[in-house]
Amino acid sequence: MVREQEKLRWRSRRGLLELDLLLERFLANHLETMSQEDIKIYDALLKLADKDFLDLVMGEMLPPDKDWETVLGKIRKA
Amino acid sequence: MGLSRQKYDVVIVGGGGSGLRAALQLSEAGHHVAVFSKVFPTRSHTVAAQGGISASLGNMQEDHWLWHMYDTIKGSDYLGDQDAIEFMCRKASEVVYELEHYGMPFDRNADGTIYQRPFGGHSQNFGERPVQRACAAADRTGHAMLHTLYQRNVSAHCHFFVEWMVLDLIRDYEGVVVGVVALEMETGDTVVFQAKATVLATGGAGRIFQSSTNAFINTGDGLGMAARAGIPLEDMEFWQFHPTGVAGAGILITEGVRGEGGILLNANGERFMERYAPHMKDLASRDVVSRAMDQEIKEGRGVGPEKDHVLLKLDHLGVEVIQKRLPGIREIAIKFAHVDPVREPIPVVPTCHYQMGGIPTNYYGQVVAPKGDNPAEVVPGLYAIGECACVSVHGANRLGTNSLLDLLVFGKSAGDHVAGWLATNPQHRDLPGDAADQSVARLSRIDKAQSGESVAAVSASMRKVVQHHAGVFRTGPLLEEGVVKISEVVDRVHCTAIQDKSRVFNTARIEALELENMAIVAQATLVSALARQESRGAHARDDFRERDDKNWLKHSLWYLEENRLEYKPVNLQPLTVESFEPKVRVY
Ligand SMILES: Cc1cc2nc3c(=O)[nH]c(=O)nc-3n(C[C@H](O)[C@H](O)[C@H](O)COP(=O)(O)OP(=O)(O)OC[C@H]3O[C@@H](n4cnc5c(N)ncnc54)[C@H](O)[C@@H]3O)c2cc1C
């Protein structure tokens, strides 16, 4: 659903510039083609506090669920 | 047009540190409070603050609020209002201890007291020697503050409107502010919120610069709302720059990198700081380094295809030093500058960091504007706090860690003052017939426009003009040209068009509205900067290199209507102590 994507786009606006920049690139490359599974994971990531989210992306913290690595990997590579 | 309506005692626009602190004061007193935020409150930009919050607790060495006051006034280059600065510094310990009681996880000393860090500009005994005055929660000070305040607000039954964008203030025929018009992102609905008092806490507008350390949400919406409601913006020429932001990204590279031996190079590979500051070189103060970098770029010795940045070289320090003493820097450089600093230098530029100016207020947070002979007549029903406000405690230059303090002190003080206002103004005033007209017209222009420039293109032009013409180093001709160019941008702002016409989570529409606010702030910045013919604090004019207290010890007030300036005196009279007379600022 397109509007679901738009919600994710808005929620990718964060309090930390680091995340804004990484997520902007990630969305440009992946938003339109994300699988349902990845959307779920991304939505969960967006619910995290900014500092925790950034620590996960920078690899300074391990995700609670190994499956999250697929999305985190794409964010890192974006 | 029949918009739906809701009523609250108080509307607070902004869920960052300042908005949450004011909300808490009022919610705990039992008032019916609505807090609006574009994003989930704990994702407000306050989350980015790491350095700490200042208070003269004296936990490390002897300290005194009067010394803190002196440091703040000197830091402000004497443009700060001394009544407000005394008020803030005296209240600092109280608001920090309160936050501790609310559960803020401050770093601690072995004896259980709050640990305090050293920070630039904090001194003992009026500049004699450094003192440790910054309280922090590891590198998560802002994050911890937001979470602590948010939780407590939830317990106090404060009502949050999350993912709502407030569009405009509503002023009645007598000029009293009686509420706001707001847009719900999820539905696209526009709703009128009637309030007995309205508090703006919308943060800074750092995104008007091409190179900014601020997150994307910092678009100065509160400043746009105030300006459209006929309220002037104060001291908008004063923006603080940090010398080493990653070029093209803005992410801060800490001063520690130069502390460990990192050096700045121009296109010729020259260590240019040796020319500007022969003794301190790359370790000279923030404003000196920023200006030197800017001059190198302006004179054509910048690096890259656009010759628009310089290089921060640290590979000579070796992998081990970089990994051990500068943790995280390598990862940040790889991720955001796409260079591995172990081998290559990091491209950096002076980067906009903090907005000293804003909506003029007194130390109760009441918005004030000149009327007749009174330079500071209260705008009834309206308050402003935090980075969007100009109290003015930061004057021409903010001291590090004083901003978080400002959020707490003036958030609380505004909360208390609003409570008093509610006691004497227990009824909602009538809404004027045209309450929502302005907002509705703005939305309908955006919705109806079939063709026009993209918001992104106009935003990019605006940022380029501000960066180039009102950057670190300013000259008359450069600013004059900038003033012309920014009015062209302003015209273009009103002719943008968006493709997405949906109502639900329409990010494009929100960005178009944000651009209108940023363009107002950008114009205020350029016009105020051109007029101020002196160098003071963060405002550095090549053609007027000295501070000029005879002519310019005064606050600028810019009005959107007619794009004109007025001035008001600086308050040099503290509340209880002797005035600190302007002196030459040397460190
Ligand atoms: C990288 C960085 C590090 C910093 N470190 C420190 C530090 O260590 N110490 C220090 O003292 N200061 C520091 N600062 C400065 C300080 O963090 C900010 O000045 C301060 O957090 C601003 O808080 P605020 O409450 O004014 O606004 P913000 O925290 O920016 O919150 C603004 C709120 O307003 C809402 N909002 C805005 N517009 C609208 C609208 N139209 N409708 C609805 N809601 C709206 C937003 O959603 C948000 O909730 C730092 C700044 C940066 C950029």
Side-chain angles (χ1 to χ4, degrees), chain B residues 334-346:
Chain B
I334 292 172
K335 214 114 269 137
F336 297 102
H338 310 295
V339 300
D340 185 348
V342 165
R343 286 188 297 271
E344 305 150 276
I346 310 173

Side-chain angles (χ1 to χ4, degrees), chain B residues 264-281:
Chain B
L264 292 163
L265 302 177
N266 63 18
N268 307 328
E270 181 202 2
R271 185 180 181 186
F272 59 87
M273 281 313 300
E274 287 178 332
R275 265 188 284 122
Y276 295 89
H279 296 291
M280 294 301 288
K281 297 180 186 150

Side-chain angles (χ1 to χ4, degrees), chain B residues 101-271:
Chain B
H101 290 259
Y102 296 160
M104 171 93 169
F106 281 117
D107 295 344
R108 300 199 176 266
N109 291 312
D111 65 357
T113 54
I114 295 175
Y115 168 77
Q116 299 185 275
R117 293 177 176 165
F119 218 91
H122 293 169
S123 82
Q124 232 177 1
N125 208 16
F126 313 104
E128 236 174 61
R129 64 190 90 77
V131 68
Q132 289 172 254
R133 190 180 285 149
C135 312
D139 67 345
R140 290 187 167 215
T141 309
H143 164 97
M145 181 189 275
L146 283 179
H147 282 262
T148 305
L149 290 173
Y150 178 69
Q151 286 311 331
R152 206 166 162 102
N153 266 298
V154 169
S155 309
H157 306 293
C158 177
H159 199 110
F160 285 95
F161 288 83
V162 176
E163 293 174 339
W164 281 71
M165 177 166 184
V166 175
L167 303 176
D168 280 293
L169 296 171
I170 305 171
R171 279 184 97 172
D172 71 10
Y173 304 114
E174 288 167 42
V176 181
V177 173
V178 293
V180 299
V181 183
L183 171 82
E184 183 178 27
M185 297 186 192
E186 191 170 3
T187 58
D189 290 346
T190 310
V191 179
V192 170
F193 286 84
Q194 207 175 346
K196 298 170 196 164
T198 301
V199 183
L200 294 173
T202 50
R207 296 304 305 176
I208 66 165
F209 285 83
Q210 206 168 36
S211 179
S212 171
T213 65
N214 286 198
F216 294 176
I217 33 175
N218 283 22
T219 55
D221 297 352
L223 280 76
M225 290 179 226
R228 279 190 297 275
I231 293 156
L233 302 181
E234 180 172 343
D235 292 341
M236 291 309 297
E237 60 272 47
F238 297 101
W239 292 87
Q240 188 169 70
F241 293 88
H242 194 289
T244 52
V246 170
I251 308 293
L252 275 196
I253 301 287
T254 150
E255 253 123 6
V257 171
R258 280 169 290 138
E260 291 296 340
I263 56 171
L264 292 163
L265 302 177
N266 63 18
N268 307 328
E270 181 202 2
R271 185 180 181 186

Side-chain angles (χ1 to χ4, degrees), chain A residues 46-72:
Chain A
L46 290 178
K47 291 205 172 81
L48 295 176
D50 285 85
K51 289 277 185 186
D52 295 335
F53 192 176
L54 186 62
D55 279 353
L56 284 180
V57 175
M58 300 302 276
E60 279 157 31
M61 207 167 86
L62 287 178
D65 187 333
K66 273 222 312 266
D67 290 349
W68 287 19
E69 276 301 339
T70 52
V71 177
L72 285 168

